[in-house]
Amino acid sequence: MPTRAEIKAWRSLHRGKGRRETGCFLAEGRRLIGEMLEWPGRTVAVLHADAAGGEPELEALLARAVTRGVRTEAVPEAIIRTLADAATPQPILAIGEVPAYGWDDVGGGAIVLLDGVQDPGNVGTLVRTALALGAAAVIGVGEAADPWGPKALRASAGASFRGPVFRTDTRDSVERLTARGIPIWVAAAGAPPLERPPSGSVALALGSEAHGVSAPLLAAAHRVVSLPLARGVESLNVASAGAILLDRMLSRTPD
């Protein structure tokens, strides 16, 4: 049974401060934990409601966890409800160590910068989309929501476990990209529409719906692009716009 101190520490993982202090994150549900048990990072513990024992899918997940040497514990459903972030929690959750991803883990290819995108659902959706389309990394910049928060992780559907996903600041991003010779393309409403994909590596910066990309990052941009929209439509949700731009940038071959 987890100690009171452990439960308190794991409950704090709902907040960024708790994740920073413990170096851990909380993952909920069968699908996320299934993805988590495939990644090379450390899974600290897997907890499941004792009343859910005997469920085949859950038992299979627990068997995989045991094979990997992960601590597994049956706990009262009340503890699951206490720790879970979801409104309707599933009977299994896990605690893992936030991976220490950084620029050294970023390989060749497109890089996605999420500049001040504060909605965790949009952050998780963009992580899922970008990595599914072959992006080399997804990097939160400035005040972007933590991709390792519970809501962002759920929206990523486990994609965060398959590629470099981390946060940094604007200056660091610009300096690192400049050193690598990677141009920055900024998505902004009213800019010329994207008609042709880049011929090489590029960093695509997506900003918040309310404020767009920050001035320092916009000043460092090599190109500003947008999507052509029907008359009367002002903008798209950042996750939708980002998905379309990424598809056009990564899935097509230049003429």
mmCIF file of all heavy atoms in Angstrom, residues 146-182:
data_model
loop_
_atom_site.group_PDB
_atom_site.id
_atom_site.type_symbol
_atom_site.label_atom_id
_atom_site.label_comp_id
_atom_site.label_asym_id
_atom_site.label_seq_id
_atom_site.Cartn_x
_atom_site.Cartn_y
_atom_site.Cartn_z
ATOM 1 N N ASP A 146 2.523 22.433 -19.986
ATOM 2 C CA ASP A 146 3.453 21.320 -19.800
ATOM 3 C C ASP A 146 2.944 20.085 -20.546
ATOM 4 O O ASP A 146 1.851 19.590 -20.270
ATOM 5 C CB ASP A 146 3.562 21.019 -18.301
ATOM 6 C CG ASP A 146 4.579 19.935 -17.986
ATOM 7 O OD1 ASP A 146 5.233 19.424 -18.917
ATOM 8 O OD2 ASP A 146 4.718 19.600 -16.796
ATOM 9 N N PRO A 147 3.701 19.562 -21.504
ATOM 10 C CA PRO A 147 3.260 18.367 -22.225
ATOM 11 C C PRO A 147 3.197 17.122 -21.356
ATOM 12 O O PRO A 147 2.625 16.112 -21.759
ATOM 13 C CB PRO A 147 4.303 18.216 -23.341
ATOM 14 C CG PRO A 147 5.518 18.908 -22.816
ATOM 15 C CD PRO A 147 5.004 20.047 -21.993
ATOM 16 N N TRP A 148 3.772 17.192 -20.129
ATOM 17 C CA TRP A 148 3.753 16.048 -19.229
ATOM 18 C C TRP A 148 2.687 16.188 -18.143
ATOM 19 O O TRP A 148 2.654 15.405 -17.201
ATOM 20 C CB TRP A 148 5.144 15.824 -18.621
ATOM 21 C CG TRP A 148 6.125 15.462 -19.695
ATOM 22 C CD1 TRP A 148 7.002 16.291 -20.327
ATOM 23 C CD2 TRP A 148 6.267 14.191 -20.331
ATOM 24 N NE1 TRP A 148 7.688 15.623 -21.303
ATOM 25 C CE2 TRP A 148 7.258 14.320 -21.322
ATOM 26 C CE3 TRP A 148 5.649 12.947 -20.146
ATOM 27 C CZ2 TRP A 148 7.649 13.256 -22.138
ATOM 28 C CZ3 TRP A 148 6.043 11.888 -20.949
ATOM 29 C CH2 TRP A 148 7.032 12.051 -21.928
ATOM 30 N N GLY A 149 1.798 17.173 -18.293
ATOM 31 C CA GLY A 149 0.647 17.268 -17.406
ATOM 32 C C GLY A 149 -0.395 16.229 -17.771
ATOM 33 O O GLY A 149 -0.434 15.740 -18.916
ATOM 34 N N PRO A 150 -1.273 15.843 -16.845
ATOM 35 C CA PRO A 150 -2.248 14.767 -17.107
ATOM 36 C C PRO A 150 -3.134 15.000 -18.325
ATOM 37 O O PRO A 150 -3.344 14.085 -19.123
ATOM 38 C CB PRO A 150 -3.074 14.723 -15.817
ATOM 39 C CG PRO A 150 -2.190 15.297 -14.766
ATOM 40 C CD PRO A 150 -1.374 16.343 -15.452
ATOM 41 N N LYS A 151 -3.660 16.211 -18.499
ATOM 42 C CA LYS A 151 -4.565 16.484 -19.621
ATOM 43 C C LYS A 151 -3.823 16.428 -20.952
ATOM 44 O O LYS A 151 -4.330 15.880 -21.943
ATOM 45 C CB LYS A 151 -5.249 17.838 -19.437
ATOM 46 C CG LYS A 151 -6.238 17.888 -18.290
ATOM 47 C CD LYS A 151 -6.897 19.258 -18.195
ATOM 48 C CE LYS A 151 -7.960 19.278 -17.095
ATOM 49 N NZ LYS A 151 -7.381 19.065 -15.746
ATOM 50 N N ALA A 152 -2.629 17.002 -21.001
ATOM 51 C CA ALA A 152 -1.845 16.960 -22.233
ATOM 52 C C ALA A 152 -1.449 15.528 -22.580
ATOM 53 O O ALA A 152 -1.487 15.124 -23.748
ATOM 54 C CB ALA A 152 -0.597 17.835 -22.094
ATOM 55 N N LEU A 153 -1.076 14.751 -21.578
ATOM 56 C CA LEU A 153 -0.709 13.358 -21.834
ATOM 57 C C LEU A 153 -1.889 12.569 -22.395
ATOM 58 O O LEU A 153 -1.734 11.775 -23.323
ATOM 59 C CB LEU A 153 -0.221 12.693 -20.544
ATOM 60 C CG LEU A 153 1.277 12.756 -20.251
ATOM 61 C CD1 LEU A 153 1.574 12.068 -18.927
ATOM 62 C CD2 LEU A 153 2.082 12.111 -21.371
ATOM 63 N N ARG A 154 -3.092 12.778 -21.817
ATOM 64 C CA ARG A 154 -4.265 12.066 -22.332
ATOM 65 C C ARG A 154 -4.527 12.445 -23.786
ATOM 66 O O ARG A 154 -4.816 11.592 -24.621
ATOM 67 C CB ARG A 154 -5.502 12.359 -21.471
ATOM 68 C CG ARG A 154 -5.494 11.687 -20.120
ATOM 69 C CD ARG A 154 -6.890 11.619 -19.520
ATOM 70 N NE ARG A 154 -7.500 12.913 -19.324
ATOM 71 C CZ ARG A 154 -7.313 13.675 -18.251
ATOM 72 N NH1 ARG A 154 -6.499 13.261 -17.275
ATOM 73 N NH2 ARG A 154 -7.924 14.842 -18.127
ATOM 74 N N ALA A 155 -4.406 13.734 -24.096
ATOM 75 C CA ALA A 155 -4.657 14.187 -25.462
ATOM 76 C C ALA A 155 -3.602 13.664 -26.435
ATOM 77 O O ALA A 155 -3.885 13.484 -27.622
ATOM 78 C CB ALA A 155 -4.695 15.713 -25.503
ATOM 79 N N SER A 156 -2.402 13.408 -25.929
ATOM 80 C CA SER A 156 -1.343 12.887 -26.808
ATOM 81 C C SER A 156 -1.523 11.413 -27.125
ATOM 82 O O SER A 156 -0.868 10.886 -28.032
ATOM 83 C CB SER A 156 0.032 13.088 -26.165
ATOM 84 O OG SER A 156 0.303 12.086 -25.186
ATOM 85 N N ALA A 157 -2.394 10.736 -26.370
ATOM 86 C CA ALA A 157 -2.654 9.300 -26.568
ATOM 87 C C ALA A 157 -1.377 8.472 -26.526
ATOM 88 O O ALA A 157 -1.250 7.465 -27.228
ATOM 89 C CB ALA A 157 -3.404 9.059 -27.880
ATOM 90 N N GLY A 158 -0.411 8.917 -25.738
ATOM 91 C CA GLY A 158 0.822 8.146 -25.585
ATOM 92 C C GLY A 158 1.933 8.531 -26.542
ATOM 93 O O GLY A 158 3.041 8.008 -26.440
ATOM 94 N N ALA A 159 1.665 9.465 -27.467
ATOM 95 C CA ALA A 159 2.702 9.856 -28.430
ATOM 96 C C ALA A 159 3.914 10.465 -27.740
ATOM 97 O O ALA A 159 5.038 10.370 -28.237
ATOM 98 C CB ALA A 159 2.127 10.836 -29.451
ATOM 99 N N SER A 160 3.691 11.098 -26.588
ATOM 100 C CA SER A 160 4.806 11.723 -25.863
ATOM 101 C C SER A 160 5.883 10.725 -25.482
ATOM 102 O O SER A 160 7.040 11.097 -25.258
ATOM 103 C CB SER A 160 4.281 12.410 -24.591
ATOM 104 O OG SER A 160 3.332 13.395 -24.909
ATOM 105 N N PHE A 161 5.519 9.444 -25.404
ATOM 106 C CA PHE A 161 6.498 8.414 -25.045
ATOM 107 C C PHE A 161 7.343 7.981 -26.239
ATOM 108 O O PHE A 161 8.244 7.164 -26.096
ATOM 109 C CB PHE A 161 5.780 7.180 -24.478
ATOM 110 C CG PHE A 161 4.949 7.477 -23.262
ATOM 111 C CD1 PHE A 161 3.618 7.083 -23.198
ATOM 112 C CD2 PHE A 161 5.482 8.137 -22.177
ATOM 113 C CE1 PHE A 161 2.843 7.339 -22.078
ATOM 114 C CE2 PHE A 161 4.717 8.411 -21.051
ATOM 115 C CZ PHE A 161 3.394 8.013 -21.003
ATOM 116 N N ARG A 162 7.056 8.541 -27.429
ATOM 117 C CA ARG A 162 7.735 8.055 -28.629
ATOM 118 C C ARG A 162 8.679 9.068 -29.266
ATOM 119 O O ARG A 162 9.173 8.831 -30.363
ATOM 120 C CB ARG A 162 6.688 7.594 -29.655
ATOM 121 C CG ARG A 162 5.844 6.424 -29.177
ATOM 122 C CD ARG A 162 5.062 5.799 -30.324
ATOM 123 N NE ARG A 162 4.024 6.667 -30.836
ATOM 124 C CZ ARG A 162 2.794 6.744 -30.344
ATOM 125 N NH1 ARG A 162 2.465 6.006 -29.297
ATOM 126 N NH2 ARG A 162 1.898 7.544 -30.876
ATOM 127 N N GLY A 163 8.890 10.190 -28.628
ATOM 128 C CA GLY A 163 9.792 11.149 -29.247
ATOM 129 C C GLY A 163 10.201 12.247 -28.295
ATOM 130 O O GLY A 163 9.608 12.398 -27.226
ATOM 131 N N PRO A 164 11.197 13.052 -28.657
ATOM 132 C CA PRO A 164 11.635 14.138 -27.791
ATOM 133 C C PRO A 164 10.528 15.185 -27.624
ATOM 134 O O PRO A 164 10.091 15.807 -28.596
ATOM 135 C CB PRO A 164 12.838 14.729 -28.532
ATOM 136 C CG PRO A 164 13.278 13.664 -29.477
ATOM 137 C CD PRO A 164 12.028 12.938 -29.862
ATOM 138 N N VAL A 165 10.067 15.361 -26.415
ATOM 139 C CA VAL A 165 9.040 16.344 -26.082
ATOM 140 C C VAL A 165 9.519 17.058 -24.819
ATOM 141 O O VAL A 165 9.664 16.424 -23.773
ATOM 142 C CB VAL A 165 7.668 15.678 -25.826
ATOM 143 C CG1 VAL A 165 6.626 16.725 -25.446
ATOM 144 C CG2 VAL A 165 7.212 14.891 -27.049
ATOM 145 N N PHE A 166 9.781 18.354 -24.923
ATOM 146 C CA PHE A 166 10.279 19.083 -23.752
ATOM 147 C C PHE A 166 9.972 20.566 -23.892
ATOM 148 O O PHE A 166 9.404 21.009 -24.888
ATOM 149 C CB PHE A 166 11.783 18.844 -23.564
ATOM 150 C CG PHE A 166 12.652 19.284 -24.721
ATOM 151 C CD1 PHE A 166 13.264 20.536 -24.735
ATOM 152 C CD2 PHE A 166 12.887 18.425 -25.798
ATOM 153 C CE1 PHE A 166 14.075 20.931 -25.785
ATOM 154 C CE2 PHE A 166 13.697 18.814 -26.864
ATOM 155 C CZ PHE A 166 14.291 20.068 -26.855
ATOM 156 N N ARG A 167 10.342 21.345 -22.873
ATOM 157 C CA ARG A 167 10.111 22.789 -22.888
ATOM 158 C C ARG A 167 11.424 23.550 -22.734
ATOM 159 O O ARG A 167 12.375 23.056 -22.129
ATOM 160 C CB ARG A 167 9.157 23.188 -21.752
ATOM 161 C CG ARG A 167 7.739 22.710 -21.956
ATOM 162 C CD ARG A 167 6.766 23.432 -21.044
ATOM 163 N NE ARG A 167 7.000 23.171 -19.635
ATOM 164 C CZ ARG A 167 6.289 23.717 -18.656
ATOM 165 N NH1 ARG A 167 5.321 24.569 -18.931
ATOM 166 N NH2 ARG A 167 6.546 23.418 -17.393
ATOM 167 N N THR A 168 11.430 24.769 -23.279
ATOM 168 C CA THR A 168 12.585 25.653 -23.140
ATOM 169 C C THR A 168 12.104 27.086 -23.308
ATOM 170 O O THR A 168 10.896 27.349 -23.321
ATOM 171 C CB THR A 168 13.684 25.275 -24.149
ATOM 172 O OG1 THR A 168 14.852 26.059 -23.880
ATOM 173 C CG2 THR A 168 13.226 25.517 -25.581
ATOM 174 N N ASP A 169 13.037 28.034 -23.478
ATOM 175 C CA ASP A 169 12.612 29.421 -23.673
ATOM 176 C C ASP A 169 12.915 29.877 -25.099
ATOM 177 O O ASP A 169 13.587 29.187 -25.868
ATOM 178 C CB ASP A 169 13.269 30.350 -22.646
ATOM 179 C CG ASP A 169 14.794 30.297 -22.667
ATOM 180 O OD1 ASP A 169 15.380 30.321 -23.766
ATOM 181 O OD2 ASP A 169 15.404 30.228 -21.582
ATOM 182 N N THR A 170 12.410 31.059 -25.436
ATOM 183 C CA THR A 170 12.534 31.558 -26.807
ATOM 184 C C THR A 170 13.991 31.753 -27.208
ATOM 185 O O THR A 170 14.405 31.345 -28.299
ATOM 186 C CB THR A 170 11.778 32.891 -26.947
ATOM 187 O OG1 THR A 170 10.420 32.696 -26.562
ATOM 188 C CG2 THR A 170 11.824 33.388 -28.381
ATOM 189 N N ARG A 171 14.765 32.371 -26.349
ATOM 190 C CA ARG A 171 16.155 32.644 -26.696
ATOM 191 C C ARG A 171 16.930 31.361 -26.970
ATOM 192 O O ARG A 171 17.684 31.281 -27.953
ATOM 193 C CB ARG A 171 16.826 33.420 -25.563
ATOM 194 C CG ARG A 171 18.274 33.782 -25.837
ATOM 195 C CD ARG A 171 18.852 34.622 -24.708
ATOM 196 N NE ARG A 171 20.262 34.949 -24.950
ATOM 197 C CZ ARG A 171 20.992 35.700 -24.146
ATOM 198 N NH1 ARG A 171 20.450 36.224 -23.054
ATOM 199 N NH2 ARG A 171 22.257 35.938 -24.431
ATOM 200 N N ASP A 172 16.738 30.374 -26.115
ATOM 201 C CA ASP A 172 17.423 29.096 -26.305
ATOM 202 C C ASP A 172 17.019 28.465 -27.635
ATOM 203 O O ASP A 172 17.872 27.963 -28.380
ATOM 204 C CB ASP A 172 17.089 28.156 -25.148
ATOM 205 C CG ASP A 172 17.733 26.784 -25.302
ATOM 206 O OD1 ASP A 172 18.976 26.710 -25.396
ATOM 207 O OD2 ASP A 172 16.991 25.775 -25.349
ATOM 208 N N SER A 173 15.723 28.508 -27.951
ATOM 209 C CA SER A 173 15.242 27.915 -29.205
ATOM 210 C C SER A 173 15.886 28.585 -30.412
ATOM 211 O O SER A 173 16.374 27.920 -31.331
ATOM 212 C CB SER A 173 13.719 28.039 -29.302
ATOM 213 O OG SER A 173 13.092 27.299 -28.296
ATOM 214 N N VAL A 174 15.873 29.918 -30.424
ATOM 215 C CA VAL A 174 16.424 30.661 -31.562
ATOM 216 C C VAL A 174 17.918 30.379 -31.707
ATOM 217 O O VAL A 174 18.416 30.137 -32.818
ATOM 218 C CB VAL A 174 16.159 32.167 -31.398
ATOM 219 C CG1 VAL A 174 16.901 32.957 -32.478
ATOM 220 C CG2 VAL A 174 14.661 32.454 -31.471
ATOM 221 N N GLU A 175 18.643 30.392 -30.594
ATOM 222 C CA GLU A 175 20.086 30.152 -30.661
ATOM 223 C C GLU A 175 20.404 28.749 -31.152
ATOM 224 O O GLU A 175 21.309 28.555 -31.974
ATOM 225 C CB GLU A 175 20.715 30.394 -29.278
ATOM 226 C CG GLU A 175 20.735 31.855 -28.864
ATOM 227 C CD GLU A 175 21.335 32.067 -27.484
ATOM 228 O OE1 GLU A 175 21.580 31.042 -26.784
ATOM 229 O OE2 GLU A 175 21.570 33.224 -27.106
ATOM 230 N N ARG A 176 19.683 27.770 -30.640
ATOM 231 C CA ARG A 176 19.938 26.378 -31.034
ATOM 232 C C ARG A 176 19.609 26.154 -32.505
ATOM 233 O O ARG A 176 20.347 25.467 -33.227
ATOM 234 C CB ARG A 176 19.103 25.442 -30.174
ATOM 235 C CG ARG A 176 19.457 25.476 -28.697
ATOM 236 C CD ARG A 176 20.668 24.634 -28.390
ATOM 237 N NE ARG A 176 20.835 24.464 -26.950
ATOM 238 C CZ ARG A 176 21.587 23.526 -26.393
ATOM 239 N NH1 ARG A 176 22.227 22.665 -27.163
ATOM 240 N NH2 ARG A 176 21.701 23.446 -25.080
ATOM 241 N N LEU A 177 18.487 26.685 -32.947
ATOM 242 C CA LEU A 177 18.088 26.499 -34.340
ATOM 243 C C LEU A 177 19.036 27.227 -35.287
ATOM 244 O O LEU A 177 19.390 26.707 -36.350
ATOM 245 C CB LEU A 177 16.650 26.977 -34.542
ATOM 246 C CG LEU A 177 15.592 26.131 -33.830
ATOM 247 C CD1 LEU A 177 14.245 26.841 -33.845
ATOM 248 C CD2 LEU A 177 15.472 24.749 -34.465
ATOM 249 N N THR A 178 19.474 28.425 -34.892
ATOM 250 C CA THR A 178 20.422 29.179 -35.707
ATOM 251 C C THR A 178 21.735 28.418 -35.838
ATOM 252 O O THR A 178 22.318 28.334 -36.924
ATOM 253 C CB THR A 178 20.668 30.566 -35.088
ATOM 254 O OG1 THR A 178 19.438 31.286 -35.021
ATOM 255 C CG2 THR A 178 21.679 31.353 -35.915
ATOM 256 N N ALA A 179 22.196 27.840 -34.725
ATOM 257 C CA ALA A 179 23.452 27.086 -34.749
ATOM 258 C C ALA A 179 23.357 25.877 -35.667
ATOM 259 O O ALA A 179 24.352 25.468 -36.279
ATOM 260 C CB ALA A 179 23.809 26.645 -33.331
ATOM 261 N N ARG A 180 22.167 25.305 -35.785
ATOM 262 C CA ARG A 180 21.974 24.140 -36.647
ATOM 263 C C ARG A 180 21.629 24.521 -38.084
ATOM 264 O O ARG A 180 21.501 23.654 -38.944
ATOM 265 C CB ARG A 180 20.848 23.254 -36.101
ATOM 266 C CG ARG A 180 21.168 22.585 -34.776
ATOM 267 C CD ARG A 180 20.033 21.685 -34.333
ATOM 268 N NE ARG A 180 20.328 20.993 -33.077
ATOM 269 C CZ ARG A 180 19.859 19.796 -32.765
ATOM 270 N NH1 ARG A 180 19.076 19.148 -33.602
ATOM 271 N NH2 ARG A 180 20.168 19.226 -31.615
ATOM 272 N N GLY A 181 21.459 25.798 -38.327
ATOM 273 C CA GLY A 181 21.105 26.247 -39.664
ATOM 274 C C GLY A 181 19.684 25.887 -40.051
ATOM 275 O O GLY A 181 19.393 25.693 -41.240
ATOM 276 N N ILE A 182 18.800 25.794 -39.066
ATOM 277 C CA ILE A 182 17.409 25.426 -39.329
ATOM 278 C C ILE A 182 16.542 26.682 -39.316
ATOM 279 O O ILE A 182 16.474 27.386 -38.308
ATOM 280 C CB ILE A 182 16.884 24.433 -38.271
ATOM 281 C CG1 ILE A 182 17.711 23.145 -38.312
ATOM 282 C CG2 ILE A 182 15.407 24.123 -38.488
ATOM 283 C CD1 ILE A 182 17.349 22.140 -37.234
#
